[in-house]
Amino acid sequence: MEREWLFLLIPVVIGVSFLCVGVYGLRRAGSLRRTGITAVGHVVRHDTRRDDEGSRYHHPVVSWTTRDGRACTHPSLFGRSTVIRGFGVGASVTVVYDERNPGRFELTGWDSKSFFVVFTVVGAALTAGASVVFLILLMTQ
């Protein structure tokens, strides 16, 4: 086992990175669901962004008023290639936000935790697979 373990660093680093992003997102979503405050917001516009390959992603910008009367307008972190029904400009939507930081919010029906579940599963699989291969290499030496 001279250089084999160096090649295992690649899937481990990628796996741990994916796992961290996934767990962070799932914890954040869970925290918002437990302690977040629900408000009615309105889609005021869509920020449209293009990726490197030219695909367009629409991020709804939502406006709502917090319990203490502050007006908030923030874009969703999640973009989709099409604007799904019920999220057009002027639509009423449900927002779950953090009272201390209203910029940390979730747009019910648009934001999806499945993105973070996929990252967590892929990260765990890569990390576990590389770790098993590393242990096998250690045992056979």
Side-chain angles (χ1 to χ4, degrees):
M1 186 174 91
E2 294 170 9
R3 292 188 196 167
E4 293 91 357
W5 69 273
L6 284 173
F7 292 108
L8 289 174
L9 285 178
I10 296 168
V12 166
V13 169
I14 293 170
V16 169
S17 299
F18 273 50
L19 193 56
C20 289
V21 168
V23 169
Y24 171 78
L26 289 173
R27 287 179 52 94
R28 179 179 177 269
S31 172
L32 274 176
R33 285 192 183 95
R34 281 190 311 277
T35 63
I37 297 171
T38 303
V40 175
H42 298 282
V43 178
V44 293
R45 70 178 183 278
H46 286 270
D47 285 346
T48 304
R49 301 178 184 141
R50 290 189 181 273
D51 66 6
D52 294 337
E53 291 140 15
S55 298
R56 293 184 334 165
Y57 293 96
H58 304 280
H59 299 261
V61 178
V62 182
S63 180
W64 74 92
T65 304
T66 62
R67 268 199 312 203
D68 59 0
R70 289 182 287 163
C72 296
T73 303
H74 298 285
S76 174
L77 292 176
F78 287 96
R80 294 185 183 214
S81 59
T82 59
V83 177
I84 58 177
R85 189 172 171 202
F87 290 93
V89 175
S92 282
V93 294
T94 303
V95 175
V96 180
Y97 68 93
D98 182 349
E99 188 171 22
R100 289 173 284 166
N101 179 10
R104 188 172 157 237
F105 74 99
E106 180 178 282
L107 188 54
T108 305
W110 182 272
D111 296 338
S112 174
K113 74 174 189 173
S114 62
F115 173 80
F116 295 116
V117 170
V118 168
F119 263 67
T120 303
V121 169
V122 169
L126 281 172
T127 304
S131 298
V132 166
V133 170
F134 182 72
L135 288 174
I136 290 171
L137 284 173
L138 277 177
M139 294 164 125
T140 58
Q141 294 298 316

